[in-house]
Amino acid sequence: MSLGVEDRLAIEDLIVGYATALDTQDWDLCRSCFRPDARTTMDRVGEFDTCEALIARLAPRLTIFTALQHFVSNFVIRGDGDTATARNHFVSHHVPKDGAPYTYGGVFEFDVVRDADGWRFAAHAIRILWEAGTPRPVD
């Protein structure tokens, strides 16, 4: 049996919540999107074995921005029961405090599971497919 509309919308909401967490640097919201042991691979950033490791890496890096804005679209969600995969496009605008804005585009890929807290990410990858502008080095 495939996922129903209610589950598909809940997974879309989860992905939108994650994008919102990055834009607002709301790390509690970010934590609520992930299982604690979720594995993440991010092009140009690295690989992380836990949500806390991901946040520890992102939190200080994102403070250089006046604004971040992630647009997510083209959701493809497949699953059955309490497991699913999701893939979507993203465009991510970055406005540094002391530099020129730049933009990335690519895909988010997720393994999603339903547990006692609802749908959450078990694994996550960000694949950058294109960029515009010159990213400011962070590190």
Side-chain angles (χ1 to χ4, degrees):
M1 179 169 97
S2 64
L3 295 177
V5 172
E6 185 174 317
D7 288 324
R8 291 175 50 80
L9 289 174
I11 292 168
E12 283 187 30
D13 284 349
L14 180 66
I15 295 167
V16 170
Y18 168 65
T20 300
L22 293 177
D23 292 344
T24 61
Q25 299 179 44
D26 182 340
W27 304 118
D28 289 333
L29 176 58
C30 187
R31 283 181 189 92
S32 74
C33 296
F34 287 85
R35 293 177 51 88
D37 60 347
R39 180 144 179 83
T40 297
T41 301
M42 299 178 84
D43 285 358
R44 302 183 187 169
V45 178
E47 295 185 8
F48 308 92
D49 291 329
T50 66
C51 178
E52 289 305 321
L54 173 66
I55 291 170
R57 180 70 166 155
L58 291 181
R61 291 171 63 104
L62 297 186
T63 61
I64 69 162
F65 298 105
T66 298
L68 293 167
Q69 193 170 37
H70 289 76
F71 294 90
V72 292
S73 66
N74 299 59
F75 296 95
V76 177
I77 300 168
R78 305 271 190 266
D80 189 8
D82 293 333
T83 62
T85 60
R87 184 178 192 273
N88 66 276
H89 294 182
F90 76 88
V91 174
S92 175
H93 298 285
H94 298 70
V95 181
K97 293 176 182 172
D98 62 355
Y102 58 93
T103 302
Y104 291 123
V107 294
F108 288 160
E109 300 168 337
F110 302 97
D111 291 336
V112 191
V113 297
R114 181 177 17 219
D115 60 20
D117 295 319
W119 288 101
R120 297 195 303 160
F121 305 135
H124 165 242
I126 294 180
R127 307 288 180 214
I128 296 171
L129 302 178
W130 61 269
E131 62 186 70
T134 305
R136 180 176 181 268
V138 250
D139 266 348

